[in-house]
Structure formats: C-alpha cells, structure tokens
Amino acid sequence: MADRIRVLLVDDHAVVRAGYKRYLELDPRIAVCGEAGSGEEAYAWLAGASAEVVVLDLSMPGQGGLASLQRILQRYPEQKVLVFTMHENPALAQQALRAGACGYLTKSMPPERIVEAIHQVMRGEQPVADEIAAALKEIANEATPHLSLAPREFEIFRLLANGLAVEEISRKLHLGTKTVANYQTTIRQKLGVHSAIELHQYARRHDLA
C-alpha cells in the first residue's frame, strides 16, 4: 500500500462505500485505507491515521458534509478532500470549492470518472463535473444574494431552509445557540428576507431546499 494512493471513503451508506471501494481498487495505484459513515467519524479517523485523498459525500447524518469539510480542513489544512455527492446545484459546489474542496464530482457521473479525478487531485488539478463546471461559469458574475454567503453561513442557511430550529442547528454543528442566532440574522439580511417562511421560499426558488 506504500506506493499506492491512500483513500478514505466517507459516505453514510455502507453499500455505496463497498461498491466504490471495489471499483477504486481495480486500479492498482489506489488503495482504500479507511471508511467512515459520517463527517465526525472521518474527523476521528484522521486523528489516528492518514489518507492522501478523502472522498466525501455531502448528505450525511450529524453535522453534514459541508461543515465536515470545513472542520477537517481547519484541523488538517493540507488534506486533499474530493467531494462526491448527489447534489448537482452549482451554488453548493461553489461553496464546497470555496471551503477548500479540491474537486466536486456528482454521483450521476460514470464511476471511472472518480478514479481519474483521484489521480487529477494528486497532480494538483481541480476536477469538477462537466455540468457543474459549466454552471459555475454561468453564475460567476451573478449577484444572486446566496452566492455571497460564506461557507458556514451557507450551511446554516440550508439547515434553516429545511426547517431546523436554531437550537437544533446549534447541536448539529456544535455551535453556541447565540452564535447560530447571530448567523441567522446575518443570513436574513444578506438574502433580504424577514422570516423563516420567506427564507424557505427563497431556498425553494433556487433549488436549495
């Protein structure tokens, strides 16, 4: 395994992990050295082991993928994290890349693409799903309010839009209730909304809830 690319697979579905592990290891240059079912598990795993590339889903229980990405990179800033998700919304991709992801792939892509992407990441490239890359170019100069949100604001915005209360978000993201409440105020100001209903409607309009 010493001369192979060590990969940590992070996805809450064991069957999905098993399938991609088998596929990835068809490439003799790649070894799946660990698996995790949540961002918290991945963070704990990295405390005692190492992987050159973390392949991270965004839809997981607990604090979720975007928050997990931020937490991992805050603790291990040199860690290569490749997002691999069902979400094809360019705003979410933009946030993941802003937060430090070294690539963004979608699960609708052919499985051989993830093998290629892992090698691209190791070469210092930033692989992005073709349809996402095209959409990112389209929104690059847009002034849509949610595109101005910082990654943490965006994560809390999506949780609020999906009906979570401030107290629930506080527990989920391990943040103080007052901190989350302050984020909520800032988010509403940036989006130009004044209530939970308006925030939810905004998210629905932009396919973010």
Side-chain angles (χ1 to χ4, degrees), residues 6 105 149-150:
R6 293 166 52 85
L105 305 183
L149 296 176

Side-chain angles (χ1 to χ4, degrees), residues 20 23-24 30 82 84 103-106 108-121 123 125-131 133:
Y20 278 101
Y23 196 88
L24 289 175
I30 294 175
L82 177 62
F84 184 52
Y104 193 98
L105 305 183
T106 62
S108 62
M109 300 171 66
E112 60 268 19
R113 184 68 179 89
I114 188 173
V115 175
E116 178 189 355
I118 288 170
H119 290 292
Q120 286 181 285
V121 164
R123 294 195 298 266
E125 300 171 22
Q126 188 181 68
V128 176
D130 291 344
E131 66 277 12

Side-chain angles (χ1 to χ4, degrees), residues 5-17:
I5 301 169
R6 293 166 52 85
V7 173
L8 170 64
L9 283 178
V10 189
D11 191 293
D12 62 325
H13 293 100
V15 173
V16 172
R17 294 199 307 271

Side-chain angles (χ1 to χ4, degrees), residues 7-8 11 14-15 38 42 44 49 71 75 110 114 120 130 134 155 165 167 171 174 193:
V7 173
L8 170 64
D11 191 293
V15 173
S38 68
R71 188 180 181 210
R75 179 66 181 85
I114 188 173
Q120 286 181 285
D130 291 344
E155 181 80 348
E167 294 76 13
R171 290 192 296 272
H174 310 296
V193 302

Side-chain angles (χ1 to χ4, degrees), residues 11 15 19 21-22 30 35 65 70 72 78 83 111 120 122 124-125 130 133 169 174-175 180 193 195:
D11 191 293
V15 173
K21 178 180 180 179
R22 283 195 299 271
I30 294 175
E35 298 180 38
Q70 293 173 283
I72 288 170
E78 301 303 315
V83 169
Q120 286 181 285
M122 292 302 295
E125 300 171 22
D130 291 344
I169 296 172
H174 310 296
L175 295 172
V180 176
V193 302
S195 68

Side-chain angles (χ1 to χ4, degrees), residues 18-158:
Y20 278 101
K21 178 180 180 179
R22 283 195 299 271
Y23 196 88
L24 289 175
E25 291 191 333
L26 291 174
D27 186 326
R29 298 166 295 172
I30 294 175
V32 175
C33 59
E35 298 180 38
S38 68
E40 290 90 338
E41 283 184 24
Y43 187 84
W45 189 94
L46 288 167
S50 65
E52 287 158 299
V53 180
V54 175
V55 176
L56 179 72
D57 189 15
L58 291 185
S59 297
M60 291 184 294
Q63 63 182 296
L66 193 56
S68 296
L69 169 66
Q70 293 173 283
R71 188 180 181 210
I72 288 170
L73 292 178
Q74 283 169 358
R75 179 66 181 85
Y76 308 104
E78 301 303 315
Q79 179 64 61
K80 295 179 174 63
V81 182
L82 177 62
V83 169
F84 184 52
T85 180
M86 61 178 282
H87 294 291
E88 299 186 5
N89 189 292
L92 185 54
Q94 183 187 63
Q95 289 294 337
L97 295 170
R98 274 185 189 171
C102 56
Y104 193 98
L105 305 183
T106 62
K107 291 183 177 179
S108 62
M109 300 171 66
E112 60 268 19
R113 184 68 179 89
I114 188 173
V115 175
E116 178 189 355
I118 288 170
H119 290 292
Q120 286 181 285
V121 164
M122 292 302 295
R123 294 195 298 266
E125 300 171 22
Q126 188 181 68
V128 176
D130 291 344
E131 66 277 12
I132 296 293
L136 286 173
K137 289 180 181 178
E138 289 181 10
I139 68 173
N141 298 314
E142 287 185 10
T144 311
H146 64 267
L147 297 178
S148 70
L149 296 176
R152 176 64 86 182
E153 293 170 341
F154 188 82
E155 181 80 348
I156 293 173
F157 158 57
R158 293 185 68 233

